[in-house]
Amino acid sequence: MSHSHLGPFWFIASRLKLRHLQLLAAFSRHSTLLAAAESLGMAQPAASKLIGDLEELMKIRLFRLEGRRMIPTFAGEVLTRHALVMLDELERTRVELNALVDGRIGHVSIGAIDGPVVQSLADMLRIAQDDYPEIELEIRSGPSDSLFQMLIDGQIDIMLGRRPVIPSAHPVSYEEIASEQLVVAAAPDHPLAASGPHTLESLSEFPWILQRRGSRSRQRLEELFLERELPLPTRIVSSDSWMMTLAYITRSQALTLLSAPAAALQSDFGQIAILPIDFSFNVAPWGIMTVRERAPTPAALTVMTLLRQCIPQISLSQQA
């Protein structure tokens, strides 16, 4: 048999088929043509013809006979080794595609407001990392209005936050979770931390650091003062930075408003004290949002299932 170099697309010219690869791989497990053919459910003559046709098309001898044994030539060893690699890659492809379909692999981006979702989101991340390590998770934070625009633009897959104040023309699926309870927080050694409960009027005597004007938490606090016909605190610093807020209250007697779950987490670390008060107040409810016209990926569905498991007292009622 004359030899010639194989061209760049030799496998097309040689009409290389998956059956060729499977038969070559079978020879790595069986030394006779009969055994290799039977392992694939083929008749021996069909297997012999398949190898003969391949050798003729490639112009390369792949096997030689020694009695009943099929001994690969150097070319046969090379082709068999790569056949095994190609079949293994196809099997890996099958596993990865199944994982993708089953929601065990992929990329999911979540946009979340900082306050009420922190603990539940952290619990979800721990479970996801343990049970679904091939799902790449990205967490982005910010105010609800910004996150909502990111959801509409496709920058995030799932949003944990509040509906926009102005109704959107973009239809979203919304699962309401709960209203956000706010607490008054201060430094652990604040003079009010060891007594109480405190009235709203007594709190107005201290400085405050609050989110910017127009934010839901600050607006609700101002409403409470107005409802009780009390003057607003005169010493207020505006900041949306939690790090700035923490630094300021630990260096002063300033008070701040925090979401109850986030405050409980910081209190457990000993960074803040939650002041006992004789009133309570909530802000607008929050929930899980996705864009209706954009079907969630299997991985996103997996993450949403985990979120539902980790968020306590979730309401499954769908709202437009």
Side-chain angles (χ1 to χ4, degrees), residues 54-85:
L54 184 59
E55 289 180 329
E56 180 62 31
L57 290 167
M58 295 182 63
K59 307 300 182 185
I60 298 176
R61 179 68 66 188
L62 300 175
F63 295 92
R64 68 177 187 275
L65 280 172
E66 288 187 3
R68 298 174 59 191
R69 298 175 66 237
M70 295 281 287
I71 307 299
T73 63
F74 289 128
E77 289 179 352
V78 170
L79 196 56
T80 297
R81 185 173 72 253
H82 286 283
L84 290 167
V85 171

Side-chain angles (χ1 to χ4, degrees), residues 35 71 75 83 130 208:
I71 307 299
D130 288 342
W208 289 78

Side-chain angles (χ1 to χ4, degrees), residues 273-285:
I274 299 174
L275 301 188
I277 54 179
D278 69 350
F279 60 94
S280 63
F281 56 105
N282 300 329
V283 291

Side-chain angles (χ1 to χ4, degrees), residues 182 184 200 203 208 210 215-226 232-233 236 257 279 281 283:
L182 298 177
V184 178
L200 186 63
L203 299 181
W208 289 78
L210 299 169
S215 63
R216 296 176 193 257
S217 60
R218 182 164 176 173
Q219 181 178 349
R220 183 61 188 130
L221 180 64
E222 291 172 350
E223 289 172 353
L224 278 176
F225 275 99
L226 293 175
L232 295 175
I236 298 178
L257 290 177
F279 60 94
F281 56 105
V283 291

Side-chain angles (χ1 to χ4, degrees), residues 30-58:
H30 307 281
S31 60
T32 67
L33 180 61
L34 177 61
E38 288 180 343
S39 71
L40 298 176
M42 298 174 62
Q44 180 176 338
S48 179
K49 184 176 187 305
L50 202 62
I51 291 296
D53 290 346
L54 184 59
E55 289 180 329
E56 180 62 31
L57 290 167
M58 295 182 63

Side-chain angles (χ1 to χ4, degrees), residues 192-209:
L192 297 183
S195 61
H198 303 289
T199 65
L200 186 63
E201 185 175 11
S202 65
L203 299 181
S204 65
E205 300 173 3
F206 289 86
W208 289 78
I209 178 167

